Amino acid sequence: MNFLIMNKIMLKMKNLIWISIFFISTITSFSQEKKAKDLLDEVTAKVKSYENIAIDFKYSLQNTKENINQDSKGNVVLKGNLYYLNFMGVTKIFDGKKTYTIVPEDEEITISKVDDKDENAITPSKMLTFFNSGYKYYWDILQDVKGRKIQYIKLVPISSKDQRKEILLGIDVQTKHIYNLIEMGKNGTKTTLTVNSFKTNQPVSKNQFTFDETKYKGYYINRID
């Protein structure tokens, strides 16, 4: 009889232990997620506080299986949702209504309208705040990069259709600026965008985000309505 009672007591104790572990794990997970979300909110607030942002960056693409290893450099000027991007020999301008993609190598320009209702449209201006929806957040490692404390937040896409497995977003703890973005694809592709220079509130020409067709005489213009 005593043996049966002891077994019941032990079973209850085991259940209590498992329940305790579950609640502690849940609370810890919630706390970590809140820390991550709070830091991302600080990054967003910082980005929105600037009149404009000028970024020089390095972009790396790797896929070991396909033996791909490419590095490129680029720069972009952002003002609200307006942008002027130079990347891989292509210039892209968004003036608030239309996007102008200029390819000097082909002497071709594509002019297209932007669907303001398309929340999934990826633009340079969204690259600094893309993480605000569609992801689960996880507090990750803290690294020392040349004297800078970089806190990583792991972002896992909620949609199962997303071809990205996860994203690591490195944030400078002091400035709250994005230092780098490491994206892991489900197909094994790894892309890394590293910010080499992050300048704010720079003198910007009033025509910075204006497309001037007269500068591109002889170019073929493809207009997409």
Side-chain angles (χ1 to χ4, degrees):
M1 184 69 178
N2 289 337
F3 180 74
L4 291 174
I5 292 173
M6 286 296 296
N7 275 346
K8 289 182 179 179
I9 292 174
M10 290 297 292
L11 183 60
K12 287 183 178 180
M13 287 182 66
K14 286 182 179 179
N15 288 337
L16 285 172
I17 290 172
W18 282 113
I19 291 171
S20 298
I21 290 173
F22 171 77
F23 276 110
I24 291 172
S25 176
T26 301
I27 292 170
T28 302
S29 177
F30 176 78
S31 175
Q32 295 293 311
E33 183 177 343
K34 186 178 185 305
K35 282 175 64 178
K37 184 63 168 64
D38 287 346
L39 180 56
L40 292 176
D41 285 344
E42 287 187 78
V43 173
T44 300
K46 204 70 180 289
V47 168
K48 291 182 177 180
S49 71
Y50 298 127
E51 178 69 20
N52 60 66
I53 301 172
I55 297 173
D56 289 337
F57 61 87
K58 177 183 176 182
Y59 180 86
S60 299
L61 173 65
Q62 296 176 320
N63 188 311
T64 305
K65 292 181 180 179
E66 301 295 332
N67 196 28
I68 297 174
N69 192 348
Q70 299 176 348
D71 290 331
S72 305
K73 291 183 179 181
N75 58 76
V76 61
V77 178
L78 307 165
K79 183 176 182 180
N81 67 333
L82 309 180
Y83 62 82
Y84 188 102
L85 169 70
N86 288 307
F87 182 55
M88 298 183 73
V90 175
T91 296
K92 201 165 187 176
I93 305 170
F94 178 58
D95 62 7
K97 294 181 180 180
K98 295 181 179 180
T99 300
Y100 304 85
T101 304
I102 306 163
V103 186
E105 184 177 354
D106 299 330
E107 293 192 342
E108 181 174 327
I109 298 169
T110 299
I111 303 175
S112 58
K113 292 182 179 179
V114 174
D115 184 0
D116 295 330
K117 296 180 181 179
D118 185 4
E119 296 180 356
N120 295 318
I122 301 299
T123 65
S125 54
K126 287 185 179 180
M127 289 307 294
L128 298 177
T129 56
F130 74 95
F131 44 76
N132 284 320
S133 63
Y135 301 91
K136 290 182 180 179
Y137 310 114
Y138 300 92
W139 193 259
D140 211 89
I141 62 173
L142 176 68
Q143 286 189 340
D144 189 302
V145 180
K146 298 179 180 179
R148 299 166 65 186
K149 297 296 182 183
I150 306 298
Q151 177 62 55
Y152 283 90
I153 303 297
K154 182 187 291 185
L155 308 172
V156 178
I158 294 173
S159 174
S160 59
K161 295 180 180 180
D162 200 308
Q163 294 305 304
R164 296 167 299 176
K165 182 181 178 181
E166 64 182 34
I167 299 169
L168 281 173
L169 192 65
I171 300 168
D172 188 309
V173 174
Q174 182 176 359
T175 64
K176 301 302 186 296
H177 293 165
I178 293 175
Y179 165 70
N180 68 349
L181 183 153
I182 305 169
E183 185 178 288
M184 300 299 298
K186 292 179 180 178
N187 64 352
T189 299
K190 176 183 177 182
T191 58
T192 304
L193 188 150
T194 304
V195 175
N196 294 324
S197 173
F198 192 105
K199 298 179 181 179
T200 62
N201 301 334
Q202 300 294 296
V204 175
S205 167
K206 63 178 182 179
N207 298 319
Q208 178 74 54
F209 310 102
T210 301
F211 173 71
D212 185 356
E213 190 172 329
T214 62
K215 293 182 178 179
Y216 305 95
K217 293 181 179 179
Y219 276 57
Y220 171 76
I221 298 180
N222 180 28
R223 301 180 188 273
I224 302 176
D225 294 328

